[in-house]
Structure formats: C-alpha cells, structure tokens
Amino acid sequence: MSTQEGGSGFNGKMNTELLEIQPQEIKFIYVFEQHGELIEVKVICDHKSGKSKGYGFVHFVSEESATKALAEMHGQLLDGRNIQINYANKK
C-alpha cells in the first residue's frame, strides 16, 4: 500500500486500537519494533485519570515497515484481546 486512501502519500503513522484498558507503551514498542524501526509510540490516556483510552499511535521510519506491521498484526491477539490497526489520517 503506497498511499493512504484519499491521501497524498505515506506519513509513517498508524492508528492502533487495542481494547485493553491499560496498554503500556513499552509493550507497544516491543511488539511493533519487530516489524521495523520506530520513530515514536504513543498510548493515548485520559487527562483526568491517566488511564489508557485503549488506543495509540505507532510511527515507523519506513512505509515498508508500517505495511508489514499492518499485514501481520491487524486482528492479532495482544494481552488476550484482538488489536485493530489502520493507517492514521494526516492532520
């Protein structure tokens, strides 16, 4: 996949949805770095409670690595829950 749907090109960022209450960034790093070099991993947390909202972002150095992660990780189990992976929308 060389471009995002309706987008102008690859921005390296992917949106991941993990239906677990408190995913840890370190676990995201470990799991996703197996598919390629990472720039950033961010778990989105509630501002008041500090608890994970159940999703985050994984930013890869290359489109090839992101595509590999999407193909191999989408729908897989992580901590007993299926994860959903999509390319993040450019903002």
Side-chain angles (χ1 to χ4, degrees), residues 12 32-40 58-63 65-66:
F32 285 97
E33 73 182 355
Q34 296 176 41
H35 302 284
E37 187 177 349
L38 303 175
I39 294 172
E40 177 184 31
V58 179
H59 192 172
F60 285 93
V61 169
S62 74
E63 181 177 4
S65 296

Side-chain angles (χ1 to χ4, degrees), residues 20-23 43-54:
E20 181 180 349
I21 301 302
Q22 295 184 356
V43 175
I44 306 304
C45 296
D46 181 81
H47 295 294
K48 291 182 181 179
S49 69
K51 291 185 179 181
S52 168
K53 290 187 172 186

Side-chain angles (χ1 to χ4, degrees), residues 6-45:
S8 61
F10 177 71
N11 70 359
K13 229 176 225 190
M14 298 174 66
N15 173 347
T16 63
E17 294 182 28
L18 176 60
L19 302 177
E20 181 180 349
I21 301 302
Q22 295 184 356
Q24 300 171 2
E25 286 182 5
I26 195 83
K27 185 167 285 191
F28 266 30
I29 291 168
Y30 174 76
V31 169
F32 285 97
E33 73 182 355
Q34 296 176 41
H35 302 284
E37 187 177 349
L38 303 175
I39 294 172
E40 177 184 31
V41 172
K42 182 171 178 107
V43 175
I44 306 304
C45 296

Side-chain angles (χ1 to χ4, degrees), residues 1-2 10 14 62-72 87:
M1 186 176 296
S2 61
F10 177 71
M14 298 174 66
S62 74
E63 181 177 4
E64 181 181 319
S65 296
T67 301
K68 180 180 174 191
L70 177 65
E72 294 179 10
Y87 287 104

